[in-house]
Amino acid sequence: FSPSQIYNIIRKIADTKEKNSKDLTFETGMSTLVNEAHKTMIPTYVVIDSVANMSEIGEFEHSKDGELKDDVLFSNTDGMRDSRNNTNFLKKIKPLLVKYNIAVIMVNHIVPSPSLDLYAQKNRALPWLASDKKLKGGEQMVFQTAFLPRLKYMRDHSNDKNQVYGERITGQINTVEFWKNKNGPEGVKYPLVFDSRLGYIPEISDFEFLLGKNYGISGTSSYTLDILPEVKISRKILLDLCESNPIVARAIQFTAKMFMIYSWVKHDNPIDLTEFQALSLKDRLQLIY
């Protein structure tokens, strides 16, 4: 697809939402600055995979006698042209995205950045992007985006080699690192545990996160949660345990959120959850929920 084709698809989505705005608008339960009920449209998602495959089709050039001119397969202007087209594309779609609550998710790639001048100072579009690397599509994509996570492969959980989480889970762990985030923390990492059948598993992802941060969990091979020490946990039965006893999954989620809120939002040391063990189980369950 070319940027022009995608732009027209988004225009059609916006036009459809405009014509059906009454049915597609809901109240958020919040108030506006002038103390009126805040309303918004239901979200629509457009996924572009990938930026590298976005390119406008050029016009054929002919000589005076009508013969088709030979074209250079690769030129230095290709990247500049694509960046300019992508910039125009972003500028045109942004008002539509804001007005009609359309989220465009663009898959991009990190590529080497050629150095034309060894002594030239390199401007970093992102503080977490290496100086000799760049993102395809031009810097405007970095500046215009509201949320830029980087996904990176970590390791496999294959049954024949690595049965850390038992025979039920065959997949991999990736990490997501938030390089840009207008509504939250930046420069932080979080593990994503995937199974080939189940997909993303939030409970085990939170558990991996807590193990990496050494927070809220006691033990080495057999674990207990500081907020819920009554339950013994091992990695191989963790998924079964969370399915049979949802309070365990909720307690893991609670512990992970406590770390994230205090470390990433409040910029403070997370609370020592062992202090809550003096409370009754009923009070701790109420706290978790």
Side-chain angles (χ1 to χ4, degrees):
F1 283 90
S2 69
S4 294
Q5 288 174 304
I6 299 170
Y7 168 66
N8 283 299
I9 290 172
I10 293 172
R11 284 180 65 236
K12 289 176 182 177
I13 294 172
D15 182 57
T16 301
K17 296 183 85 168
E18 175 69 34
K19 291 175 180 176
N20 299 277
S21 60
K22 186 176 179 181
D23 296 327
L24 299 178
T25 303
F26 69 98
E27 291 188 9
T28 63
M30 296 183 289
S31 298
T32 65
L33 292 175
V34 292
N35 203 28
E36 294 177 349
H38 178 259
K39 297 180 180 180
T40 187
M41 282 192 165
I42 62 168
T44 308
Y45 294 91
V46 177
V47 182
I48 301 173
D49 187 4
S50 64
V51 172
N53 291 328
M54 285 173 55
S55 182
E56 294 287 355
I57 300 173
E59 299 292 331
F60 292 123
E61 291 189 24
H62 298 84
S63 61
K64 291 182 179 179
D65 55 4
E67 290 293 317
L68 182 67
K69 285 185 178 181
D70 289 336
D71 195 9
V72 179
L73 186 58
F74 302 107
S75 72
N76 292 333
T77 61
D78 288 343
M80 295 174 62
R81 184 186 63 241
D82 287 342
S83 295
R84 184 179 66 251
N85 290 339
N86 290 342
T87 298
N88 292 334
F89 165 71
L90 291 169
K91 286 181 177 179
K92 283 193 171 185
I93 66 168
K94 203 153 189 181
L96 298 176
L97 306 187
V98 173
K99 183 175 181 180
Y100 297 102
N101 201 10
I102 302 170
V104 175
I105 301 171
M106 309 179 82
V107 178
N108 208 341
H109 301 85
I110 300 170
V111 295
S113 177
S115 178
L116 302 178
D117 184 353
L118 293 176
Y119 301 101
Q121 184 177 358
K122 293 185 178 180
N123 296 321
R124 286 194 180 189
L126 283 164
W128 294 280
L129 184 64
S131 59
D132 60 342
K133 297 288 190 295
K134 67 176 183 178
L135 292 171
K136 298 183 80 69
E139 289 188 353
Q140 276 299 319
M141 285 204 164
V142 176
F143 297 141
Q144 295 285 352
T145 187
F147 179 66
L148 184 59
R150 184 197 181 191
L151 293 172
K152 186 178 181 182
Y153 166 79
M154 274 183 62
R155 64 177 184 271
D156 283 319
H157 276 320
S158 56
N159 285 339
D160 55 341
K161 295 180 181 179
N162 192 351
Q163 292 181 304
V164 173
Y165 286 106
E167 296 181 358
R168 286 187 59 189
I169 298 179
T170 303
Q172 60 183 222
I173 295 183
N174 301 317
T175 57
V176 57
E177 184 174 7
F178 302 101
W179 278 8
K180 184 177 181 181
N181 189 355
K182 281 192 174 181
N183 300 315
E186 295 179 339
V188 295
K189 295 181 181 180
Y190 178 80
L192 304 172
V193 179
F194 287 93
D195 174 72
S196 57
R197 181 177 58 89
L198 300 173
Y200 169 63
I201 309 177
E203 301 92 339
I204 296 182
S205 299
D206 278 345
F207 192 76
E208 278 283 330
F209 172 77
L210 293 171
L211 286 177
K213 296 299 181 182
N214 193 28
Y215 175 74
I217 297 179
S218 301
T220 51
S221 57
S222 178
Y223 304 97
T224 59
L225 294 168
D226 292 346
I227 194 67
L228 196 67
E230 290 84 356
V231 181
K232 298 292 183 183
I233 299 173
S234 74
R235 277 171 150 180
K236 287 194 174 182
I237 66 166
L238 181 57
L239 184 58
D240 293 328
L241 186 61
C242 288
E243 289 176 347
S244 62
N245 192 352
I247 185 62
V248 176
R250 191 62 180 246
I252 292 172
Q253 181 192 59
F254 168 84
T255 305
K257 283 188 174 182
M258 289 294 283
F259 183 92
M260 294 175 188
I261 290 169
Y262 275 86
S263 297
W264 297 352
V265 181
K266 296 170 69 69
H267 302 289
D268 197 359
N269 292 324
I271 293 174
D272 182 3
L273 295 181
T274 58
E275 296 178 1
F276 291 100
Q277 292 179 6
L279 298 175
S280 67
L281 177 60
K282 180 181 178 181
D283 288 339
R284 279 183 281 121
L285 293 180
Q286 187 176 4
L287 188 66
I288 290 169
Y289 274 103

